[in-house]
Amino acid sequence: MREAIRDMRVRGAGRIARAAAEALARAAEAFRGEDPGAFIKYMEGVAEFLRSSRPTAVSLPNAISFVMRSLRESPPASVEEGKRAVREAASEFVVYSKNAVRVIGELGARRFRNGDVVMTHCHSSAAAAVLSAAHRMGKVDRVYVKETRPRLQGLIAARVLSDAGLDVTLIPDSAVRYFMKDVDRVIVGADAVAANGAVVNKVGTSVVALAAKEARVNFYVAAETYKFSPRTIVGELVPIEFRDPAEVVGSDWIAAHPKVEVLNPAFDVTPAEYIDAIITEKGVISPYAAPLILMEEYGVRTWLP
Amino acid sequence: MREAIRDMRVRGAGRIARAAAEALARAAEAFRGEDPGAFIKYMEGVAEFLRSSRPTAVSLPNAISFVMRSLRESPPASVEEGKRAVREAASEFVVYSKNAVRVIGELGARRFRNGDVVMTHCHSSAAAAVLSAAHRMGKVDRVYVKETRPRLQGLIAARVLSDAGLDVTLIPDSAVRYFMKDVDRVIVGADAVAANGAVVNKVGTSVVALAAKEARVNFYVAAETYKFSPRTIVGELVPIEFRDPAEVVGSDWIAAHPKVEVLNPAFDVTPAEYIDAIITEKGVISPYAAPLILMEEYGVRTWLP
Amino acid sequence: MREAIRDMRVRGAGRIARAAAEALARAAEAFRGEDPGAFIKYMEGVAEFLRSSRPTAVSLPNAISFVMRSLRESPPASVEEGKRAVREAASEFVVYSKNAVRVIGELGARRFRNGDVVMTHCHSSAAAAVLSAAHRMGKVDRVYVKETRPRLQGLIAARVLSDAGLDVTLIPDSAVRYFMKDVDRVIVGADAVAANGAVVNKVGTSVVALAAKEARVNFYVAAETYKFSPRTIVGELVPIEFRDPAEVVGSDWIAAHPKVEVLNPAFDVTPAEYIDAIITEKGVISPYAAPLILMEEYGVRTWLP
Amino acid sequence: MREAIRDMRVRGAGRIARAAAEALARAAEAFRGEDPGAFIKYMEGVAEFLRSSRPTAVSLPNAISFVMRSLRESPPASVEEGKRAVREAASEFVVYSKNAVRVIGELGARRFRNGDVVMTHCHSSAAAAVLSAAHRMGKVDRVYVKETRPRLQGLIAARVLSDAGLDVTLIPDSAVRYFMKDVDRVIVGADAVAANGAVVNKVGTSVVALAAKEARVNFYVAAETYKFSPRTIVGELVPIEFRDPAEVVGSDWIAAHPKVEVLNPAFDVTPAEYIDAIITEKGVISPYAAPLILMEEYGVRTWLP
Amino acid sequence: MREAIRDMRVRGAGRIARAAAEALARAAEAFRGEDPGAFIKYMEGVAEFLRSSRPTAVSLPNAISFVMRSLRESPPASVEEGKRAVREAASEFVVYSKNAVRVIGELGARRFRNGDVVMTHCHSSAAAAVLSAAHRMGKVDRVYVKETRPRLQGLIAARVLSDAGLDVTLIPDSAVRYFMKDVDRVIVGADAVAANGAVVNKVGTSVVALAAKEARVNFYVAAETYKFSPRTIVGELVPIEFRDPAEVVGSDWIAAHPKVEVLNPAFDVTPAEYIDAIITEKGVISPYAAPLILMEEYGVRTWLP
Amino acid sequence: MREAIRDMRVRGAGRIARAAAEALARAAEAFRGEDPGAFIKYMEGVAEFLRSSRPTAVSLPNAISFVMRSLRESPPASVEEGKRAVREAASEFVVYSKNAVRVIGELGARRFRNGDVVMTHCHSSAAAAVLSAAHRMGKVDRVYVKETRPRLQGLIAARVLSDAGLDVTLIPDSAVRYFMKDVDRVIVGADAVAANGAVVNKVGTSVVALAAKEARVNFYVAAETYKFSPRTIVGELVPIEFRDPAEVVGSDWIAAHPKVEVLNPAFDVTPAEYIDAIITEKGVISPYAAPLILMEEYGVRTWLP
């Protein structure tokens, strides 16, 4: 599982989070022994191991914290009880996570008006849920999908949204400003939301937001609350992962041009001032209300050691 | 030649202009007959025919006007004289055009400071000339080149600039805002410059300009004066060509997704307020001085019929 | 009462809210029967009925929730007890609401400096309370009042403020930018405050805010906390009511020009980024702190079903 | 005629200009005497007299200069010759002026695209000519017309454009930002264009321009070149006329509220940075090219005494 | 001590706060008598006296409130117990305050990236702590320090930061925009943080923030939470102190130019929209989260009487 | 004279220009010989020598070109004739230059309205002429003068303007944004005006312009046309001179802090978009009309060698 997460075979912040919860449950089952203290120690090792697999994914440690809290808050009297606690917490997380996307879809769809033309970037389950719900409510028919180089996740989004019945127009990333004039609202997903309301998402998101701002187009982010990053409260920057340059031009071209550097950052940061609202499963909030979510989820006093 | 221009085998506004001038010269040679009037009429037909091959290229009619002016201003006494006039004007245009790129390179390079990091979009001979000259002057070493989907002209630029000795970093188009913070100046070419100083160039240019403006990065356009569009004075919008959607995702994908529309605009329009200077072979001007260039080249009174 | 509210005979978010509270009290008195369960059911019907009278007024359901909470939280043992609970809650709301305007006046007035020239739009009791208090404190003497077409509520504001001793200058709505250069601060009321800090108020408010932003003029909103809209947390847009076109040009003109459509939106939405502070009876807050108010008033967990 | 101009019975910069030209012609006819010098002196008195009738109208002195130039440049040998010169110049100006509106209509219409939704403010013959031409070309069907308080010239525009076949929606001035999101382009007329490209037009124009800028909507001004103000080159501000307060609220209301000041500025100034293009009969130019027009019309050296 | 604070011999919001806490402890020791009620009354007099010494320093009343709360929350049974309570609270505050600067240094340093060039204004212990920590972590080497006229606190900052090992470049205040292009981040301290996230700091701070915003440079404020001003919630403006004009030009120049007024405001106000984050000892927050800090420290209900 | 110019004993672009003209006249007088060719060669050497004394002053080569043109355009038949030509041209330049400041004062003053409060930066004869003229016209009474560190030219301006009868308020440079809200217009001088309308002036000018833009305050530049830089047309950046660091903190402080770098740039560049008008002796123009002035003064064709 760790390999699958690390190698990006498991993709998407939500799927990674659920995979981590399930990995913890399976690791718990696999424990052999009778000492509850040893079990807790073992599980903490597993948690640490999983955490290190994708250091930039905020949803991963949040999911692990959710599951591990069940052990920490009421230490089990027996290994059996501990296993059950982990199993139930993991299961609860998976249900919560899947439910969150559905609720986001419903809450977000209410933000749209009849006839709205929408643009999206990359593929996000939460953003797609909003668009599908808005389409079912008869509000949204047309959506521009950016191809999202280099991995072309836009093609996935185009297929998913087209299957959901929307009229999809696929465009190259560079055409974002050209088509922005026809757009009423933008919706994207998020990999992480920082304490100051900035959103980390697939590279290119910030430039869509900039072009939307320039044209007075509403820009929404759909994000489950376990993507809010408590570490940013203590000053940590969300690290930007650089992926394999071969995704951009292929290894042949790179080999043929040894003097040309090729850089492939996976994410960029959209500042809060370009974001009109973040749609979470707990409500539609201003990005500046991100600290409220963090405070509610993690408490103020737990920020510092 | 017309087919070569139309089918985009001849690419780049400068090359198209020179090809048109040469095509006129060759057509003149091919004329059989002795009546100068018939010759002029024939040449006007050829000119009209060439003009229609790429209706969106501003440099094309400007080159044709340059050559044909030799006939209109002093009607030849004989076909022979007419052929010579066309031949000389065409030759003069080609020399002027090639020279213009070199002069732009030299004038533009003076705008840079030692250590400047530059970004460019698409491939433009004039922009490359500026970067090469600035590099030879020891001012510029590093340049970010955007890949410029869907036709990846950025790869050509990367190779050309790397061969010229610059340290090239190739990036996906979406990463434009991520890397803009490291950049001191942007330089791009132009397909056309409108009377209000707006620049028509490869799609994506306007979003680079927007991101440069946001970060207080100077944005320069390198453009020969025959790219200034007199038609925009009389109200014409520069038409934006839509190219084959298969350039974006390939025809297989399109066939497999019949309900997804794919749009592939070739150009976009960058407003003058995002442009710090246009580097022409006649000097470095504010985009708002575009009418001066038009007035000098075409005269005020000739704008209207 | 319902008719009075619906027909806009009762106007102003505060008055509507108080009228609703009183209507509930009167409806409770009118109940005949002894079964407390039937009483509650009856009251809920009345509440629902009142709620539907002005679907766009946020203060209406908030006032009704305030009163009805007295029944829901501790179900009465008898009808008599229920009637008393409703009566007392309604009375408490009316006192609170009237008091709120006074407190807003005092808190808001402290925001002004001696000699400030102020602009206002439409007529708002809360904004007028702030201006009167600031005038009594010797801080504000001059106020620009926009006429606020089509119903000319600016004329009411002009009279009220002039009676309060201020020097009033009445101007047409279109002159907003012309006079903005002379203005130090703007203050307006609100019909509703959304979870993202956006303010819904009489149409034209957003354009005053835009012109104030352009000129670095502070823009304040005076709003009681029962105007904060909890429904916007669950994604609802505050609906914009369209009123009778005859208010704009008269029915004769409309009849004489059957092909001309006349639209008369009652409100518009001012984004939080144009608002410097919202003055509530609980303190002067940033619009971005709207979720705090909502959380305190309604609790986080009650947002979702 | 002077009274008609002064009392605003003759309205609109174009009509005023033509009326002034015709008044000069009639005054010339009325001259009795044989001394050409006396005739010139007499005409200069008439010109001065007309100039003073509406000191804020730029088109008035420009029209007078046009006609009087015929006398100044080649002083007539006889009164008869002088009268003919004046008559012909006046007639030429009237033809030119009427023709200018038509040419502006044609040039401006080319700036629009199929399906554009347009907004306009006040009533301007030139702007209406553009919209009618664009409608005839099948490009524009829908236009928002602001009522333009206090004199409601928007109602004239609504009727004229509706008669021309457009679908007209009349809105209150305050709703400008509410509807701006549905608009693709704005077009207005001008009373004067200053040397720095700023446009003086009916009060409220600048706030439409601001809202258009905020929403990335193109803002065009339609203006004949005789509205360009050479006096602004020598530092004069275009004076803003204040009209009768009774236009705003009626004299009864004013009498009943003696302590309320009512101000009624006729014009405001839209800065060049909010204007995308000025459509003149000589071409479509950037507002920053206003000095070019002035230089061509009046010459550089004539700016100073 | 009061004199030392008032006369600015004790400078810096942190030092003033600690001096006030210690003054309270010493005043408590000096009390002679046995009646706990008289002791409390005496201490409240002392507190009031201290509060009045520097009315503009937010940290002063906050420190006094912290210490006095120990008496108010659990009234002492004896004077001895009261003295101990004051002594311990004062001591706790001093420790907390010194610790806060260290924690801010550590949290803030994490916000920087390797190679960041930083600018700072005036001298702030908290900002210097951040820069020193970032330097120790190998992230920051170069810092621009503005001289900060008229009292030249920048020279202190230059020395402190140079001693800490950073490469310091001292520049005149006016050169802020010239050098901003070389800067990656700005960090300054604060005298007070208002409820709407605005920061009051040494005059000139707001213009640095404006230039940073223009150039997309991150702007951070380092501030202990006892600098957050609860009074601004009830509408109070943070008053801007005007200091001795002789600090600007010397008393000789002033005497020689009696007709020239010289003004020397000590602080200015930087609006929240120009601030990317406030680094407190409780975490790194958006300025818009200031109400959260205030709510946590002082409670919502204590804002109003 | 050359030393006086280089050592900044002669200060101000206008004085430098006149000093250069006079130096040429004196050098001409000093020539001994009879060969007109030798005289021209000698004078060109002098011109070159003078040009190199202050390479960053645009007015210097412009003044020299003005005088030397008299020799180049009509080569003198004798040394005597040459001396006379130089003498007359130098004298003409001095008269023109002094006259220019007066005309600028008069033209600029018309731009102001009664009661305008003005801010200025550094000391400029042209800006002071405008303010004095506006004061004489009864329009301007109050002016904020920034001290203009490090050389405190603001103190000169304060004295000059106070002597001219204005109410002067002297403020530290850092207080620019604090006082901008009270200001209606800003006026400054210029050291050079570039072809794209950017203005080079005393460091700090660009940050005043930025703060003026933020507050919708008009920003004017007063500049004689011989400050327009033809070299910028051919791509040259106007070089920014760095002056002695000891001007900033004194050489003692520098000696005591050897590890602190002190930088003292003399000028900065204000982009055209922050400038509302440039007041020249030839009229009040938009900065975007700078090319017109250059074209008129130097001709288009002379831009390139």
Side-chain angles (χ1 to χ4, degrees), chain A residues 114-184:
Chain A
N114 288 350
D116 276 353
V117 174
V118 184
M119 185 182 281
T120 190
H121 176 72
C122 199
H123 177 59
S124 145
S125 305
V130 172
L131 285 169
S132 300
H135 179 64
R136 281 194 306 271
M137 290 161 71
K139 291 173 158 184
V140 174
D141 287 324
R142 290 195 54 217
V143 58
Y144 286 98
V145 176
K146 295 173 69 242
E147 57 171 346
T148 319
R149 282 273 297 161
R151 291 181 72 94
L152 298 174
Q153 293 95 332
L155 273 57
I156 305 174
R159 187 173 39 71
V160 166
L161 294 171
S162 178
D163 289 351
L166 289 118
D167 294 335
V168 174
T169 302
L170 186 74
I171 58 170
D173 294 316
S174 281
V176 55
R177 192 172 174 277
Y178 183 86
F179 289 106
M180 189 57 80
K181 277 295 298 162
D182 302 334
V183 169
D184 298 294

Side-chain angles (χ1 to χ4, degrees), chain C residues 147 149 155 168-170 172-174 177-179 203-204 206 210 214 242 249 253 260-263 265 269 274, chain D residues 147 149 155 168-170 172-174 177-179 203-204 206 210 214 242 249 253 260-263 265 269 274:
Chain C
E147 56 172 347
R149 284 272 297 160
L155 272 59
V168 174
T169 302
L170 185 75
D173 295 315
S174 281
R177 192 173 175 275
Y178 183 87
F179 289 106
V203 73
S206 73
L210 178 63
E214 186 205 16
F242 277 69
V249 277
W253 197 93
V260 174
E261 180 186 38
V262 181
L263 291 182
V269 181
Y274 295 162
Chain D
E147 56 171 347
R149 284 273 297 158
L155 272 59
V168 174
T169 302
L170 185 76
D173 295 316
S174 281
R177 192 173 175 274
Y178 182 87
F179 289 107
V203 73
S206 73
L210 178 62
E214 187 205 18
F242 277 71
V249 276
W253 198 92
V260 175
E261 182 186 39
V262 182
L263 292 181
V269 181
Y274 295 162

Side-chain angles (χ1 to χ4, degrees), chain D residues 17-76:
Chain D
R18 290 192 293 272
E22 281 162 3
L24 286 169
R26 259 179 293 168
E29 290 313 313
F31 181 74
R32 297 288 165 261
E34 296 301 329
D35 176 9
F39 176 71
I40 289 178
K41 213 167 164 183
Y42 160 82
M43 284 307 295
E44 273 168 2
V46 173
E48 191 50 42
F49 180 74
L50 281 170
R51 247 183 224 112
S52 64
S53 63
R54 270 299 271 289
T56 69
V58 163
S59 65
L60 183 68
N62 283 351
I64 294 167
S65 295
F66 185 97
V67 175
M68 295 300 288
R69 206 180 304 163
S70 63
L71 289 184
R72 261 182 233 130
E73 284 176 3
S74 50

Side-chain angles (χ1 to χ4, degrees), chain E residues 147 149 155 168-170 172-174 177-179 203-204 206 210 214 242 249 253 260-263 265 269 274, chain F residues 147 149 155 168-170 172-174 176-179 203-204 206 210 214 242 249 253 261-263 265 269 274:
Chain E
E147 55 171 350
R149 283 272 296 162
L155 273 58
V168 174
T169 302
L170 186 75
D173 295 315
S174 281
R177 192 172 175 276
Y178 182 87
F179 289 106
V203 74
S206 73
L210 178 62
E214 187 205 15
F242 276 70
V249 276
W253 198 93
V260 175
E261 181 186 37
V262 181
L263 291 182
V269 181
Y274 295 162
Chain F
E147 58 172 345
R149 284 272 297 160
L155 273 59
V168 174
T169 301
L170 186 75
D173 295 316
S174 281
V176 55
R177 192 173 175 274
Y178 182 86
F179 289 106
V203 74
S206 73
L210 178 61
E214 186 205 17
F242 277 71
V249 277
W253 198 93
E261 182 186 36
V262 182
L263 292 182
V269 181
Y274 296 163

Side-chain angles (χ1 to χ4, degrees), chain B residues 171-189:
Chain B
I171 58 170
D173 295 316
S174 281
V176 55
R177 192 172 176 275
Y178 183 87
F179 289 106
M180 190 57 80
K181 277 296 298 164
D182 302 335
V183 169
D184 298 295
R185 286 160 213 270
V186 172
I187 187 160
V188 300

